[in-house]
Amino acid sequence: MIVGILGAGQLARMIALAGYPLGVEFIFLDPSADACANRLGTHLLGDYNDPRLLAELAERADVVTYEFENVPADVAEFLASHTQVHPAPKALAVAQDRLVEKGFFNSLDIPTPAYAAVDSLADLQQAMPTIGWPAILKSRTMGYDGKGQSLLKSADDLATAWDLLAGAPAIVEAFVPFGREVSIIAARSVSGETVFYPLSENRHRGGILRVSESRAGDPMQAQAEAYISKLMVALDYVGVLALELFEIDGRLIANEFAPRVHNSGHWTIEGAETSQFENHLRAILAMPLGATSAVGKAAMVNFIGGLPVTEDLLAIPHAHLHLYDKAPRKGRKVAHATLRTETAAQLAGLVQQLEALADAVDDS
Ligand code: AMP
């Protein structure tokens, strides 16, 4: 079996690492010569919309998937008309545009923060009395890790925030004073069989994910599963999907979804019976899905912009290092480490040690 992946970054790399034991081979399309998955399969080097390379990818791969959601719609459609593509291009179209995504959530009765479309400064000024303060202005497309976002605290912030977007279509949404952020990851197979991972509890810094912890038995699990099930059924989804949520006063509010494997699920490599990467492959290759149950208590810490000394990290009990083979650069995720322990008490102290190592090299 050959799986084609659009993108050859760390998510593609971890999918490939999960695929080799299943006898799967990989072919990546990525415009960067030093993309970090490129030594784990065939690398087609070029633009995502290069017709010759897309034709080659469709020809050689049994199924095509992607590691990021900003794949141009016509590229996904072209591939889908020549080979199997999972998840289907519709999931990309919804996830690419925050306004469409919020409307989609609401059409499924999945709550979101109050929001309004913003195409001009006048739109923004008009929306604020309804949205309320504080609020966040976000570009509708191409936003991730907090990029293209501004916090609006008063009317004085509006013009600067709008100017920063340089005319890009935007969305303004109410700031949610959440108690915590969680995400749910699920995998759905071609036959509609669906499995859910225990919730991840996530902490961000500067809009970038810093720490995720597995939360088996979390009281919000059932609500999160109900929401992600609705999304997967409505999108006729095949593969792994991640839904990011805010929890406030025992209620979940949707932030966004990612039609792919997700950073908040990296702990599943050591902390679940089957990792999100393996289950993504099993789903898109029509194989039976693997059990998602937690193995012990797990947490993941991202290394952003700098790498720890390997020996220092491995000296932390129960720590597992995942280097992405990427040159450190400001704001760039270059590695993560997972901890897996028997008890929550054991985990807490070790997470602190791991975060201290990450803080020492972090330049984000
Ligand atoms: P996003 O790129 O939309 O996932 O936003 C990145 C991070 O910014 C989120 O994980 C939250 O920590 C924060 N954030 C985004 N939108 C909101 C909101 N409406 N209310 C509060 N925090 C938010």
Side-chain angles (χ1 to χ4, degrees):
M1 276 290 186
I2 300 181
V3 168
I5 306 185
L6 290 171
Q10 68 264 22
L11 299 180
R13 181 181 164 93
M14 287 186 271
I15 293 172
L17 289 170
Y20 280 107
L22 299 177
V24 183
E25 291 175 47
F26 294 89
I27 176 165
F28 310 102
L29 172 57
D30 193 294
S32 167
D34 61 356
C36 72
N38 69 2
R39 271 182 270 154
L40 294 172
T42 305
H43 181 189
L44 303 178
L45 177 62
D47 286 339
Y48 293 118
N49 50 14
D50 181 323
R52 193 182 51 83
L53 294 180
L54 286 175
E56 186 176 349
L57 185 68
E59 166 73 26
R60 292 174 68 177
D62 296 296
V63 54
V64 172
T65 188
Y66 23 79
E67 62 149 17
F68 65 107
E69 51 273 40
N70 290 317
V71 175
D74 52 339
V75 166
E77 294 292 352
F78 171 86
L79 288 168
S81 65
H82 288 80
T83 186
Q84 282 193 79
V85 175
H86 294 309
K90 165 131 199 242
L92 286 180
V94 178
Q96 273 169 9
D97 184 328
R98 292 185 192 276
L99 184 65
V100 176
E101 185 182 35
K102 292 260 184 330
F104 194 68
F105 282 137
N106 287 172
S107 73
L108 298 172
D109 284 328
I110 300 173
T112 62
Y115 67 94
V118 172
D119 291 320
S120 65
L121 180 57
D123 283 353
L124 181 58
Q125 287 160 336
Q126 223 166 35
M128 285 317 296
T130 321
I131 301 296
W133 306 95
I136 302 189
L137 184 67
K138 301 180 177 179
S139 60
R140 275 174 60 174
T141 58
M142 300 305 281
Y144 63 96
D145 283 350
K147 291 188 172 64
Q149 301 190 11
S150 300
L151 182 64
L152 310 172
K153 290 187 182 147
S154 77
D156 293 342
D157 297 333
L158 299 189
T160 314
W162 172 248
D163 285 349
L164 275 177
L165 288 171
I171 180 172
V172 62
E173 59 186 63
F175 182 89
V176 180
F178 54 80
R180 59 180 183 144
E181 287 188 82
V182 296
S183 53
I184 180 148
I185 293 174
R188 187 168 182 268
S189 71
V190 179
S191 66
E193 178 196 2
T194 306
V195 292
F196 307 92
Y197 285 95
L199 282 192
S200 303
E201 185 174 318
N202 307 320
R203 273 191 282 129
H204 292 79
R205 205 153 73 185
I208 305 182
L209 184 67
R210 181 58 157 197
V211 181
S212 288
E213 288 188 27
S214 67
R215 287 282 168 206
D218 194 281
M220 304 314 292
Q221 182 80 28
Q223 201 177 109
E225 286 187 11
Y227 290 163
I228 200 167
S229 292
K230 284 193 204 186
L231 275 179
M232 289 183 127
V233 170
L235 293 167
D236 199 12
Y237 197 88
V238 174
V240 159
L241 183 136
L243 172 62
E244 294 182 43
L245 300 148
F246 303 122
E247 187 198 334
I248 178 162
D249 302 331
R251 286 192 320 127
L252 293 177
I253 296 177
N255 177 27
E256 61 182 1
F257 74 88
R260 54 172 168 77
V261 291
H262 194 254
N263 195 171
S264 68
H266 290 0
W267 62 263
T268 62
I269 297 176
E270 287 88 8
E273 207 163 313
T274 313
S275 78
Q276 62 165 345
F277 303 101
E278 181 175 337
N279 259 338
H280 182 64
L281 288 170
R282 290 191 190 206
I284 66 174
L285 291 168
M287 294 172 175
L289 299 179
T292 49
S293 24
V295 180
K297 304 281 178 190
M300 182 246 26
V301 175
N302 270 336
F303 287 88
I304 302 159
L307 284 171
V309 175
T310 296
E311 286 73 14
D312 292 350
L313 191 137
L314 297 181
I316 297 177
H318 309 292
H320 301 270
L321 178 60
H322 296 261
L323 297 172
Y324 301 157
D325 197 11
K326 284 163 73 175
R329 207 191 293 147
K330 188 172 164 52
R332 195 179 205 202
K333 292 172 184 165
V334 284
H336 77 264
T338 313
L339 291 162
R340 191 186 67 210
T341 61
E342 293 291 315
T343 67
Q346 233 182 337
L347 190 69
L350 296 175
V351 169
Q352 274 182 3
Q353 284 185 41
L354 205 48
E355 274 196 88
L357 266 191
D359 285 346
V361 294
D362 186 319
D363 70 354
S364 62

